[in-house]
Amino acid sequence: MSLVLAFLGFFVAVFLPGSVLYKLSERYFKHDVFFPNVWVYVIVCFGLSLVFNFFMVSLLVWLHLYTHSILISLTFLEILGFLWVYKRELVSGLKCLEFDSHMQELIYFAGIGICIYVFCKKFGLDIFYAWDSVVSWNRWAGEWASGKFVLNEGGYAQIYPILLSLGYVLSSKISDFQGIGVTIYWYFALMGLLGCVFLLFDKNNLKLSALGFVVLAFFYIVYFAIKQREFHVGYVDMPVSLVILLSALCLLRASFETSQKDVRFYLYLGALLAGVSAEIKQSGLFWCVMYIIGLLYFWRFSYFTLSLKVFGVCVGIIIFLCAPWILIALYKKLFLSVDATNIQHTWQEIYQGKSYLERLSHALTKYYQMSVLFFLSLISLFSKRFAFFGVVGVVYFLLWGCLLSYDLRNLQGGLPMMILALSGGVWSMLNSRTFFTLLEFLHKRLALILLLGVIATSLRLPFVQEKILTIEQGGRINIGGRDTNELVLATFKHKGIKPIITDNQLLVYALGFDRKYYEHFSFSQDTRAFEKFLSTYMEPSFYVLLQNDYVGYYKEFFEENNLVILGSSGYYTLLERE
């Protein structure tokens, strides 16, 4: 039963309270996210659930009411509330999405398939292993579950540990069933995947929907190909980065909307997610400031109409959600004389006197892949809409290079900006008339281009010939088993080349020695066949290489014929008769 309750804690953490809150506030937004895009609804519920759980758990711990029985009762009320507010949808079902074209239908269902495939490929039900996830994040989750109020230890906000604590309290097993907490971590990744596609999906705008796939492609390359090893399971670097990405996607989507109610919906959702990011890790505070500037930027260039009321609500949401971190930092500084920001250590002491220019130069060379992403993202400066994300990416990258480049994980707040900037730049070029003119020119000159390519390659090959031969030679040693080949090579080097009797036909191709030294014999359990073979074999000194499985059958025969074992490696044993 404990595992069932812990599993229920996952849904309480990321979906259940948010779904009830959204339904209760749906009339205010006048925006039905069930139709046309149910996946946006999932993202909305995710953001609202994080906010609700953060304040609910903080209040319960402060009142000493964060217990198993209290949380069970509240969860039961949330389930009843969900059944009540969604009674119509549960009985009648949801409306089916109607597509204007087969291409839009393909994008929609391909997006679902790709997101689920990547999530299933990366997701693994496990426990927390990495250093900070054990000694910090999961430890803080245990302290919350035990009823202790964690005052942003080390300057770190506490939404993520609070989410983990829900399963611990519901199951009454603190720090057990950690697989549920790992699932919450990977759920952030799933929200990022879905956000790339469906926050930009519009069944009436094929080009905008295609942009979602461009963002998804670069998102996958950066997060799951280039930077995968930097995102340790249980750390909050990927969660905060993906919440920032979702917030930025909302701001971008609002710039494409023509309906004022849709603009308002995405701006409010973006502000909510921006505020949430600040309560996951400090880099979210940077994005909160940039989000407010972004509102003014897109309004200034007439991408949407921004009333004073909507702007005030967005700023109010961000301030309300950032306030706990700021107030705790001020309290610890003024009353406890503790630096809750950790700035002195991370910005200065850790660099041991290096100048800002030295730090940036070192970051550019050490993390060259991120440097390439940074410079490529600058193509967004040619597009007014995406230039905002490019500039924010530049600012964050420079701040990271000068102040936080001791660890690549600290770039998490700038990655979404550079990905959106690069995606937007590529998408803008693909939609430009210049691009289509270039494609037309290349198509007409295809034969000439291929011929020039062949000529250029032919001119280049003589200079790389030796390098290619060296690579091939190094690769051949793996043919048939590297361990066995290295054993034979080492023996040839120290004891000299002699004929070798073996059934390993790949040996000659792997080592490339003269075939006159190779003598093939198919070993079996019958030693008499080998005895007959040796009676006619003219070489007095030779090696024998046979499979380990047959060594026992030939043991006495080898002793009688002065065959000495030199070594065993892989699946084979090497013997010698001098």
Side-chain angles (χ1 to χ4, degrees), residues 54-308:
F54 173 68
F55 286 104
M56 180 196 72
V57 172
S58 299
L59 180 62
L60 290 177
V61 170
W62 185 53
L63 297 174
H64 304 290
L65 296 175
Y66 194 38
T67 63
H68 173 75
S69 57
I70 294 292
L71 192 57
I72 283 285
S73 301
L74 291 174
T75 301
F76 180 70
L77 291 175
E78 289 177 12
I79 294 174
L80 288 180
F82 178 85
L83 295 175
W84 173 255
V85 297
Y86 290 101
K87 57 183 181 296
R88 185 180 64 183
E89 287 81 2
L90 293 171
V91 173
S92 304
L94 301 178
K95 292 183 290 183
C96 293
L97 184 60
E98 298 177 358
F99 299 95
D100 295 333
S101 68
H102 292 300
M103 183 58 69
Q104 287 284 40
E105 188 174 5
L106 175 63
I107 289 176
Y108 186 85
F109 289 106
I112 296 174
I114 292 172
C115 292
I116 294 176
Y117 169 75
V118 173
F119 174 73
C120 293
K121 183 181 178 181
K122 299 298 179 182
F123 170 73
L125 200 62
D126 210 337
I127 64 173
F128 296 116
Y129 289 105
W131 183 276
D132 281 356
S133 63
V134 175
V135 303
S136 296
W137 301 106
N138 194 48
R139 174 175 66 85
W140 293 332
E143 292 181 6
W144 281 104
S146 300
K148 299 177 182 178
F149 203 107
V150 181
L151 282 174
N152 292 1
E153 186 174 328
Y156 293 107
Q158 293 293 310
I159 273 189
Y160 184 65
I162 283 174
L163 297 178
L164 302 184
S165 73
L166 290 166
Y168 296 154
V169 174
L170 282 172
S171 65
S172 296
K173 291 185 177 294
I174 297 177
S175 289
D176 287 337
F177 304 129
Q178 291 185 18
I180 304 300
V182 172
T183 305
I184 293 174
Y185 172 86
W186 284 113
Y187 192 79
F188 279 89
L190 179 61
M191 292 298 99
L193 290 165
L194 291 172
C196 289
V197 178
F198 296 106
L199 281 174
L200 297 177
F201 179 82
D202 187 340
K203 72 185 189 73
N204 299 314
N205 189 336
L206 181 60
K207 290 183 178 180
L208 178 58
S209 300
L211 173 60
F213 265 76
V214 177
V215 176
L216 179 64
F218 286 117
F219 168 82
Y220 181 86
I221 291 171
V222 173
Y223 282 83
F224 296 126
I226 296 177
K227 207 171 182 288
Q228 180 181 6
R229 289 180 297 178
E230 301 298 327
F231 288 125
H232 304 293
V233 174
Y235 285 44
V236 297
D237 303 291
M238 186 165 72
V240 69
S241 187
L242 297 186
V243 172
I244 290 174
L245 175 63
L246 292 173
S247 176
L249 285 168
C250 289
L251 182 60
L252 177 61
R253 176 57 186 267
S255 72
F256 284 96
E257 292 293 344
T258 56
S259 168
Q260 191 56 36
K261 69 174 183 179
D262 292 338
V263 170
R264 184 177 63 181
F265 170 80
Y266 284 109
L267 292 183
Y268 287 172
L269 177 58
L272 178 85
L273 293 168
V276 167
S277 69
E279 291 299 341
I280 298 178
K281 201 173 182 183
Q282 298 97 316
S283 55
L285 292 168
F286 171 84
W287 172 241
C288 286
V289 176
M290 292 299 106
Y291 186 86
I292 295 172
I293 295 174
L295 292 174
L296 299 174
Y297 176 89
F298 285 101
W299 166 75
R300 171 64 179 80
F301 288 104
S302 304
Y303 285 109
F304 51 66
T305 301
L306 184 66
S307 67
L308 185 60

Side-chain angles (χ1 to χ4, degrees), residues 360 364-365 367-382 393-394 397-398 418 421-422:
L360 180 60
L364 286 170
T365 53
Y367 305 114
Y368 67 93
Q369 292 172 318
M370 293 299 104
S371 300
V372 171
L373 174 64
F374 166 68
F375 288 113
L376 288 177
S377 69
L378 298 180
I379 65 173
S380 63
L381 300 180
F382 296 100
V394 168
F397 187 89
L398 294 177
M418 291 188 285
L422 177 56

Side-chain angles (χ1 to χ4, degrees), residues 9 52 89 139 203 416-417 446 498 558:
F52 177 83
E89 287 81 2
R139 174 175 66 85
K203 72 185 189 73
M417 302 303 111
L446 183 60
K498 302 176 186 178
F558 290 153

Side-chain angles (χ1 to χ4, degrees), residues 503 521-534 546 549-558:
D503 59 358
F521 180 81
S522 298
F523 289 95
S524 66
Q525 298 178 10
D526 185 5
T527 61
R528 291 174 298 178
F530 187 53
E531 185 176 357
K532 182 179 178 180
F533 171 82
L534 282 186
L546 78 163
D549 295 341
Y550 294 133
V551 173
Y553 297 108
Y554 290 85
K555 185 175 181 181
E556 294 183 3
F557 176 79
F558 290 153

